[in-house]
């Protein structure tokens, strides 16, 4: 079976543009997470979905960031009016359960560069 | 809130030498602890995890870690380093149903 996939793998945006990043989790995984990884840093939590419900969005840095998972599978992270500080790798992860003990399976990430 | 501190942003060892990557956590309740590895341009892969069972946890690729509550530590070890172990290693903590909190990472270099 396929792992977590993300697209595009690389995205260059001009400051002020809107971008959409896609995540295809492992089929049947209930939980889906988005993380932001700045250069030389560990991943930082952005938001969490359990099926289609967004249960935690405490890590979203501003109201320019929006995520959805309308049918409980594919998720999209949208960033409006991108700024240079948004440049980072955006990682998506999925897991089969909801307890927090389970392994999270990570995608390869989308590297966003804002010029 | 829980947190993780990884001591040493870069560790360099000779091939065949012991690998020791340090992780200390802070949590007011019993934590779940994880070590992930990241190869260049790839996502993170789980090496091992502690979820309140045995305190000595064995993972993939010969790695293991020991949960020491008294020291609030979860250090990662491997008896003999291999060139293929060169990567970035992240320690992470979560409690109950909260999101993973990652450390800043330790880059492991293996010298032939």
């Amino acid at each position: 079976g396929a792992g977590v996939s993300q697209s595009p793998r690389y995205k260059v945006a001009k400051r002020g543009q809107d971008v959409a990043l896609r995540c295809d989790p492992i089929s049947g995984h209930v939980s889906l997470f988005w993380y932001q990884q700045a250069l030389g840093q560990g991943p930082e939590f952005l938001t969490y979905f359990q099926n289609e419900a967004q249960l935690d969005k405490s890590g979203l840095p501003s109201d320019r960031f929006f995520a959805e998972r309308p049918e409980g599978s594919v998720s999209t992270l949208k960033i409006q009016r991108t700024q240079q500080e948004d440049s980072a790798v955006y990682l998506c992860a999925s897991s089969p359960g909801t307890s927090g003990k389970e392994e999270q399976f990570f995608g390869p990430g989308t590297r966003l560069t804002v010029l | 809130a829980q947190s993780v501190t990884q001591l040493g942003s870069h560790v360099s060892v000779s091939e065949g030498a012991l690998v020791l990557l340090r992780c200390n956590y802070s949590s007011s309740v019993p934590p779940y602890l994880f070590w992930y590895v990241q190869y260049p341009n790839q996502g993170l892969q789980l090496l091992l995890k502690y979820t309140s069972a045995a305190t000595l946890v064995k993972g993939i690729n010969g790695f293991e870690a020991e949960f020491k509550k008294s020291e609030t530590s979860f250090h990662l070890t491997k008896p003999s380093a291999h060139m293929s172990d060169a990567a970035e290693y992240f320690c992470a903590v979560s409690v109950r149903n909260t999101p993973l909190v990652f450390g800043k990472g330790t880059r492991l270099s293996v010298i032939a």
Side-chain angles (χ1 to χ4, degrees):
Chain A
V4 178
S5 61
Q6 294 186 244
S7 60
R9 289 292 313 276
Y10 303 91
K11 177 69 178 177
V12 178
K14 292 183 179 179
R15 188 162 54 94
Q17 283 184 330
D18 298 349
V19 298
L21 313 180
R22 177 186 169 106
C23 172
D24 284 83
I26 293 173
S27 178
H29 277 196
V30 171
S31 295
L32 186 145
F33 307 82
W34 283 98
Y35 295 88
Q36 181 189 60
Q37 185 176 20
L39 189 64
Q41 301 294 316
E44 292 193 356
F45 170 77
L46 293 177
T47 187
Y48 164 61
F49 290 86
Q50 187 175 121
N51 295 308
E52 69 278 5
Q54 189 175 21
L55 299 187
D56 188 342
K57 53 182 181 179
S58 62
L60 296 177
S62 78
D63 59 7
R64 296 186 294 103
F65 287 70
F66 171 77
E68 60 182 5
R69 193 187 186 198
E71 298 179 356
S73 55
V74 171
S75 178
T76 304
L77 176 67
K78 297 179 180 177
I79 309 174
Q80 297 177 325
R81 304 181 304 281
T82 52
Q83 303 295 314
Q84 284 190 323
E85 61 263 28
D86 300 334
S87 294
V89 175
Y90 290 85
L91 296 168
C92 175
S94 69
S95 72
T98 60
S99 72
K101 296 182 185 180
E102 303 91 2
E103 174 182 358
Q104 292 186 22
F105 294 83
F106 282 79
T110 294
R111 182 178 297 276
L112 173 64
T113 303
V114 182
L115 303 177
Chain B
Q2 60 273 19
S3 65
V4 165
T5 301
Q6 291 185 242
L7 297 175
S9 60
H10 183 208
V11 171
S12 184
V13 301
S14 298
E15 191 174 19
L18 171 71
V19 175
L20 170 60
L21 304 182
R22 299 178 187 274
C23 172
N24 288 88
Y25 69 91
S26 173
S27 175
S28 58
V29 298
Y32 305 137
L33 293 161
F34 305 79
W35 275 100
Y36 281 86
V37 62
Q38 186 176 35
Y39 297 100
N41 297 316
Q42 295 186 28
L44 281 72
Q45 179 184 8
L46 182 70
L47 281 176
L48 49 80
K49 63 178 180 179
Y50 166 78
T51 57
S52 76
T55 56
L56 180 61
V57 181
K58 295 188 184 297
I60 62 172
N61 301 338
F63 285 94
E64 63 181 39
E66 186 172 7
F67 171 70
K68 292 187 176 181
K69 184 178 179 181
S70 61
E71 299 177 8
T72 62
S73 69
F74 191 58
H75 301 331
L76 182 71
T77 60
K78 181 174 180 177
S80 177
H82 192 273
M83 297 297 289
S84 61
D85 295 327
E88 189 88 18
Y89 291 80
F90 293 95
C91 182
V93 62
S94 71
V95 298
R96 297 180 207 151
N97 296 325
T98 62
L100 280 175
V101 175
F102 285 87
K104 293 184 182 297
T106 297
R107 181 161 59 91
L108 176 66
S109 297
V110 182
I111 304 167

